[in-house]
């Protein structure tokens, strides 16, 4: 298995632009998680899905953030409009039955 | 929300030395995981612990799930330069699938 796949690996954008991050979980995994990592706050859970259904989005910082999972093999995290304080590394992770979370390589986002 | 207190924040050791780091919480966790993150990469799972008191090894790594279910430690024996990285503890509380992370321990190994 290729593991969790994320794209793009790096994104540089200007404030106010829309940013879309993509994730392909491990085939057969039924949970998908989006995390954000910063120096100040560490790894924070933003939202997670079970069988493509959002279960808990209490970590999503603002209405500017939205996430979707249209099918079992694809999820997006969108920021619109982006702000400099959104600069961070965004990780997608997937797991089977809520155990042994596998993380993707991350998307490094820089908002200027 | 749930908080995991991980210590130490950083460690500087000589190659060949043993390393110990730990994680504590005021809440009970049903699962403890230890991850390592290399620069520019995502966290990689090292060890998973599911039962109070469980002691598990993975090569030179050993981790234990505390009896009270509120703590865990990770030991690395005979460190080598490739052990450099950030080590995270993570936990899951009962009735939840949310994986909560500690702030990490940054390990530097001097050859």
């Amino acid at each position: 298995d290729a593991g969790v796949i994320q794209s793009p690996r790096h994104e540089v954008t200007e404030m106010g632009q829309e940013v879309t991050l993509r994730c392909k979980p491990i085939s057969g995994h039924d949970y998908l998680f989006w995390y954000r990592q910063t120096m100040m706050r560490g790894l924070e859970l933003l939202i997670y899905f079970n069988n493509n259904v959002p279960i808990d989005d209490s970590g999503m910082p603002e209405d500017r953030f939205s996430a979707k999972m249209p099918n079992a093999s694809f999820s997006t995290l969108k920021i619109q409009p982006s702000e400099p304080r959104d600069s961070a590394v965004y990780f997608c992770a997937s797991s089977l039955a809520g155990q042994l979370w596998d993380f993707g390589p991350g998307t490094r986002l820089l908002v200027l | 929300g749930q908080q995991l207190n991980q210590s130490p924040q950083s460690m500087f050791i000589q190659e060949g030395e043993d390393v110990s780091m730990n994680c504590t919480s005021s809440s009970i966790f049903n699962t403890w995981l230890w991850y390592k993150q290399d620069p520019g990469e995502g966290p990689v799972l090292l060890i998973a612990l599911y039962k109070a008191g469980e002691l598990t090894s993975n090569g030179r790594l050993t981790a234990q799930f505390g009896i009270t279910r509120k703590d865990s430690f990770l030991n690395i024996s005979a460190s080598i330069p490739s052990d450099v990285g950030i080590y995270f503890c993570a936990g899951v509380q009962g009735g939840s699938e949310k994986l909560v992370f500690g702030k990490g321990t940054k390990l530097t190994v001097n050859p």
Side-chain angles (χ1 to χ4, degrees):
Chain A
D1 198 317
V4 177
I5 299 173
Q6 290 187 247
S7 65
R9 290 294 307 272
H10 303 271
E11 177 82 28
V12 180
T13 190
E14 292 187 344
M15 182 174 62
Q17 296 297 307
E18 177 180 294
V19 175
T20 300
L21 312 181
R22 297 173 176 80
C23 175
K24 176 178 168 52
I26 291 174
S27 177
H29 280 192
D30 55 351
Y31 284 87
L32 184 140
F33 304 80
W34 282 101
Y35 283 85
R36 178 171 67 176
Q37 185 176 36
T38 60
M39 288 292 292
M40 290 297 295
R41 301 174 68 88
L43 276 156
E44 303 173 279
L45 178 64
L46 301 178
I47 184 172
Y48 76 96
F49 297 81
N50 177 219
N51 292 323
N52 314 338
V53 176
I55 303 301
D56 187 338
D57 65 354
S58 59
M60 296 286 261
E62 303 170 30
D63 290 345
R64 298 183 297 106
F65 286 69
S66 63
K68 294 182 180 179
M69 192 166 185
N71 57 63
S73 59
F74 184 66
S75 176
T76 60
L77 177 67
K78 188 174 291 187
I79 308 173
Q80 166 63 19
S82 58
E83 297 182 2
R85 60 194 167 121
D86 301 331
S87 298
V89 183
Y90 291 82
F91 289 103
C92 176
S94 69
S95 76
L96 180 60
Q99 297 192 10
L100 298 181
W101 290 249
D102 288 291
F103 281 76
T107 295
R108 279 142 192 82
L109 173 65
L110 177 61
V111 183
L112 302 173
Chain B
Q2 312 97 321
Q3 235 182 339
L4 296 184
N5 303 306
Q6 188 171 348
S7 64
Q9 276 190 317
S10 60
M11 303 183 74
F12 297 83
I13 63 170
Q14 292 296 125
E15 182 177 357
E17 290 183 357
D18 297 342
V19 172
S20 185
M21 58 192 79
N22 68 81
C23 217
T24 62
S25 174
S26 58
S27 304
I28 289 175
F29 283 80
N30 284 358
T31 300
W32 286 93
L33 305 173
W34 285 92
Y35 284 84
K36 182 190 179 202
Q37 186 177 24
D38 291 326
E41 301 295 331
V44 174
L45 182 65
L46 299 174
I47 292 180
L49 303 161
Y50 300 105
K51 297 179 183 177
E54 180 180 355
L55 184 70
T56 298
S57 292
N58 178 6
R60 294 178 296 104
L61 278 60
T62 301
Q64 184 156 30
F65 192 146
I67 292 290
T68 64
R69 294 162 65 191
K70 294 182 178 181
D71 63 311
S72 176
F73 72 74
L74 174 71
N75 288 342
I76 305 173
S77 63
S79 59
I80 59 178
S82 62
D83 290 334
V84 165
I86 302 177
Y87 292 79
F88 291 96
C89 65
V92 182
Q93 293 187 301
S96 170
E97 296 83 23
K98 295 166 69 169
L99 187 61
V100 178
F101 279 82
K103 290 294 180 67
T105 295
K106 185 175 181 180
L107 178 64
T108 302
V109 180
N110 296 315

